[in-house]
Amino acid sequence: MTIRVLVVEDDPMVMDITCKYVESVPGFKAVARAASGDAARECVRTMDIDLIILDIFMPGMNGIDLLAELRSGGCLTDVIFLTAADGTEFINRAQKLGFVDYLIKPFNYERFHDSLAHYQKLRDLLGTGGRATQEQLDSTLRQGPLSESARVQKGMHPKTLETIRKYIEESPESAVITQQELVENLGLSRVTVRRYMEYLSSTGEVTVQMVYGAVGRPSYTYRKMG
């Protein structure tokens, strides 16, 4: 069954990109567009909408006030926020009104795809009319692991990550890899090496040890996990 999506966004370029992203995911169709809260309200009133992808900063009524109005009128349509509003006061208000996910602009396709895939999984589970196990709920409501492209921090480049990974994989199993070694052999700065290696530590691919010298800042050594 096709999931019918209303995209609420006042920037025409972002609107076009978002609608293309929606329709690139199997099972989803962008059936309506609205550039303001008033237009969105009319779409919800007159159309059969399953999911609203909702901006917050818009002319006139903002997205949170729109959702508050819809909820007070009994509208239970699912919502994914897609917005530049990164203040916790916005997120807190939005959460109290109920949303499936909250994506902060600028966003990448992989994170957007993960959000729709999670929503589809949630609908499949809750739309059965049967019973759910605790394992099913845990797996679905906690959303599960994101793809790596969605998890990689802003400013990190996949090619650089791939280069560092390859170097580590080709190192002997018991080798201690130093920060300076990576700087010299890969042509990267110490700050860059540290940032990427901290990421690889968070994924469980390497262990990190801080080494203090007699003077100056500490250096770092790394071992790859088996």
Side-chain angles (χ1 to χ4, degrees):
M1 182 181 295
T2 300
I3 296 173
R4 298 171 295 271
V5 181
L6 163 63
V7 179
V8 185
E9 169 62 59
D10 66 315
D11 185 316
M13 184 176 69
V14 177
M15 172 72 84
D16 286 341
I17 292 171
T18 304
C19 289
K20 287 177 183 177
Y21 278 5
V22 166
E23 301 211 335
S24 72
V25 181
F28 289 82
K29 184 172 181 59
V31 298
R33 301 181 177 201
S36 68
D38 289 339
R41 186 197 301 114
E42 185 65 14
C43 288
V44 172
R45 187 182 69 82
T46 59
M47 301 180 68
D48 190 7
I49 303 294
D50 300 308
L51 175 67
I52 303 171
I53 295 179
L54 182 58
D55 193 9
I56 289 180
F57 297 138
M58 297 183 294
M61 179 181 291
N62 68 53
I64 292 179
D65 288 342
L66 170 64
L67 184 56
E69 180 182 297
L70 293 176
R71 294 292 190 242
S72 66
C75 175
L76 299 178
T77 303
D78 296 316
V79 170
I80 292 175
F81 278 97
L82 180 57
T83 177
D86 57 1
T88 55
E89 68 276 14
F90 294 111
I91 300 169
N92 186 41
R93 266 197 78 196
Q95 184 182 42
K96 287 177 168 57
L97 293 168
F99 61 74
V100 176
D101 204 353
Y102 194 106
L103 307 183
I104 298 174
K105 299 174 184 176
F107 63 101
N108 62 45
Y109 174 76
E110 289 80 7
R111 179 63 179 88
F112 185 87
H113 182 280
D114 283 345
S115 183
L116 293 191
H118 166 243
Y119 174 68
Q120 194 167 42
K121 184 178 178 183
L122 185 65
R123 273 178 62 93
D124 289 345
L125 175 64
L126 301 183
T128 60
R131 292 174 173 270
T133 66
Q134 187 65 58
E135 289 75 17
Q136 287 175 314
L137 285 175
D138 288 346
S139 172
T140 305
L141 297 179
R142 295 178 184 178
Q143 190 158 339
L146 300 174
S147 61
E148 175 167 275
S149 296
R151 287 186 285 110
V152 169
Q153 300 170 20
K154 184 178 178 181
M156 290 178 62
H157 197 284
K159 284 291 185 183
T160 304
L161 183 61
E162 181 183 345
T163 298
I164 295 174
R165 271 203 176 116
K166 184 177 179 183
Y167 186 92
I168 293 169
E169 289 169 0
E170 292 176 352
S171 300
E173 289 298 326
S174 59
V176 175
I177 303 168
T178 66
Q179 186 179 49
Q180 188 60 32
E181 175 185 346
L182 292 170
V183 168
E184 293 175 356
N185 291 333
L186 300 182
L188 303 172
S189 71
R190 293 172 66 87
V191 171
T192 298
V193 166
R194 182 178 174 187
R195 184 178 187 189
Y196 281 81
M197 295 305 284
E198 284 178 349
Y199 172 76
L200 293 178
S201 174
S202 75
T203 63
E205 295 172 67
V206 299
T207 59
V208 183
Q209 182 175 358
M210 187 181 296
V211 179
Y212 289 91
V215 294
R217 297 179 179 178
S219 60
Y220 299 86
T221 62
Y222 311 97
R223 290 180 184 267
K224 66 178 176 181
M225 300 290 286

